[in-house]
């Protein structure tokens, strides 16, 4: 994958949860065969990156043992990377990141931004992988209790700046850092909307930005569904198009809808030129 130099179309990162309990699609792709097949389907639908995760980070989720996480993700990463797919590993464990990169992953997407495992940043630096650093205030079991902000934009930017500084100090190349505001992680609906409206403040840190709005609860509140429903994919695709100029990548479940939204935006712009 080419790193951050030069103008590039917004990347679509397709979500592949190899878990029985993820908030959106847990259990649908829990077998190795189903997970590999879905990863290939995401690529066929237009994903530029497939993000493979073996541990749910939904509110209240319990941690997964390291050996179980590795059992879930390694054959999937190996198969998809063997296809030539750009693979990201969604993990908070440095040992999982190391094993996944050895299996062919080139991006480490850590929702804790290096805070859950003190070895993560140094491991990513050693591996030479791209490091997606998300804003984070604690594991799923406690994050709902840590939603107080004096100024959500200023507080998130300050806390991510501390995380990125720690990563760079550990040896991660700044050109390989991507930041994520961590929507839904220790944040209420209004916090998420405010962060989306002020992504420029996060981008001012000098790193590309990734967002993960897909099927989040605050979109459910917008469209009036009480559970995870396909209706959340429409606002996800709309936001992906609206924010395309501001972000390096959008992390989504419904790749096909997001690809159509981004292609429609591109077609409109070509017609105006």
């Amino acid at each position: 994958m080419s790193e951050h130099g030069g103008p590039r179309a917004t990347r679509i990162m397709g979500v592949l949860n190899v878990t029985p309990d993820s908030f959106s699609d847990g259990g649908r792709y829990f077998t190795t065969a189903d997970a590999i097949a879905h990863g290939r389907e995401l690529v066929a639908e237009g994903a530029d990156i497939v993000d493979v995760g073996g541990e749910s980070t939904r509110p209240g989720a319990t941690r997964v043992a390291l050996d179980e996480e590795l059992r879930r993700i390694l054959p999937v990463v190996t198969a998809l990377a063997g296809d030539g797919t750009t693979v990201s590993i969604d993990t908070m464990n440095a040992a999982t990141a190391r094993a996944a990169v050895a299996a062919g992953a080139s991006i480490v997407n850590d929702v804790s931004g290096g805070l859950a495992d003190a070895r993560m940043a140094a491991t990513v630096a050693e591996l030479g992988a791209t490091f997606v650093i998300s804003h984070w205030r604690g594991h799923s079991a406690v994050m709902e209790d840590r939603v107080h902000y004096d100024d959500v934009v200023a507080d998130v930017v300050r806390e991510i700046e501390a995380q990125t500084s720690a990563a760079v100090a550990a040896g991660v190349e700044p050109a390989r850092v991507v930041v994520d505001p961590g929507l839904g992680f220790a944040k209420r609906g209004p916090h998420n909307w405010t962060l989306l409206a002020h992504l420029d403040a996060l981008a001012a840190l000098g790193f590309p930005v990734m967002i993960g709005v897909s099927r989040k609860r605050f979109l459910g509140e917008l469209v009036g569904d009480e559970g995870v429903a396909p209706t959340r994919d429409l606002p996800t695709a709309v936001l992906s198009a609206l924010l395309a100029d501001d972000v390096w990548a959008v992390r989504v479940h419904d790749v096909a809808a997001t690809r159509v939204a981004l292609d429609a935006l591109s077609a409109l712009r070509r017609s105006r030129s």
Side-chain angles (χ1 to χ4, degrees), residues 223-249:
V223 299
D225 72 60
E226 295 182 358
V228 175
T231 51
R232 298 186 187 186
D233 290 333
L234 177 57
T236 296
V238 170
L239 285 171
S240 296
L242 289 173
L243 298 171
D245 288 337
D246 302 321
V247 299
W248 171 82

Side-chain angles (χ1 to χ4, degrees), residues 27-119:
R28 292 187 65 188
Y29 314 113
F30 189 43
T31 72
T32 297
D34 286 345
I36 293 170
H38 186 57
R40 289 170 173 161
E41 181 181 21
L42 293 174
V43 173
E45 290 174 344
D48 302 294
I49 305 162
V50 176
D51 191 39
V52 179
E55 178 177 10
S56 174
T57 54
R58 63 177 173 79
T62 56
R63 299 300 309 276
V64 172
L66 176 62
D67 58 349
E68 173 62 12
E69 184 185 23
L70 291 171
R71 185 195 67 78
R72 294 175 182 183
I73 62 95
L74 280 179
V76 181
V77 171
T78 300
L80 296 178
D83 292 342
T85 298
T86 299
V87 176
S88 169
I89 179 62
D90 176 2
T91 186
M92 293 182 281
N93 291 316
T96 302
R98 180 180 296 279
V101 170
S106 58
I107 302 170
V108 176
N109 177 23
D110 180 359
V111 298
S112 82
L115 296 177
D117 186 336
R119 301 165 299 171

Side-chain angles (χ1 to χ4, degrees), residues 73-256:
I73 62 95
L74 280 179
V76 181
V77 171
T78 300
L80 296 178
D83 292 342
T85 298
T86 299
V87 176
S88 169
I89 179 62
D90 176 2
T91 186
M92 293 182 281
N93 291 316
T96 302
R98 180 180 296 279
V101 170
S106 58
I107 302 170
V108 176
N109 177 23
D110 180 359
V111 298
S112 82
L115 296 177
D117 186 336
R119 301 165 299 171
M120 181 65 88
T123 298
V124 174
E126 178 187 342
L127 297 171
T130 293
F131 193 18
V132 181
I133 297 175
S134 295
H135 177 261
W136 190 78
R137 285 185 163 185
H139 288 290
S140 296
V142 300
M143 68 180 179
E144 295 293 298
D145 301 324
R146 301 178 181 180
V147 295
H148 174 74
Y149 297 90
D150 294 324
D151 178 321
V152 68
V153 175
D155 291 351
V156 167
V157 169
R158 182 181 65 255
E159 290 168 29
I160 286 189
E161 184 174 23
Q163 291 170 256
T164 57
S165 295
V168 171
V172 178
E173 295 179 24
R176 292 188 178 274
V177 172
V178 175
V179 293
D180 182 332
L183 301 174
F185 290 89
K187 298 170 187 72
R188 303 294 188 204
H191 296 141
N192 297 317
W193 288 113
T194 300
L195 287 165
L196 287 172
H198 296 88
L199 288 177
D200 57 328
L202 186 57
L205 292 176
F207 304 106
V209 176
M210 185 178 83
I211 59 166
V213 301
S214 187
R215 298 181 181 174
K216 292 292 176 73
R217 181 168 57 192
F218 75 103
L219 297 185
E221 295 167 355
L222 176 71
V223 299
D225 72 60
E226 295 182 358
V228 175
T231 51
R232 298 186 187 186
D233 290 333
L234 177 57
T236 296
V238 170
L239 285 171
S240 296
L242 289 173
L243 298 171
D245 288 337
D246 302 321
V247 299
W248 171 82
V250 290
R251 183 180 181 275
V252 300
H253 298 82
D254 187 343
V255 167

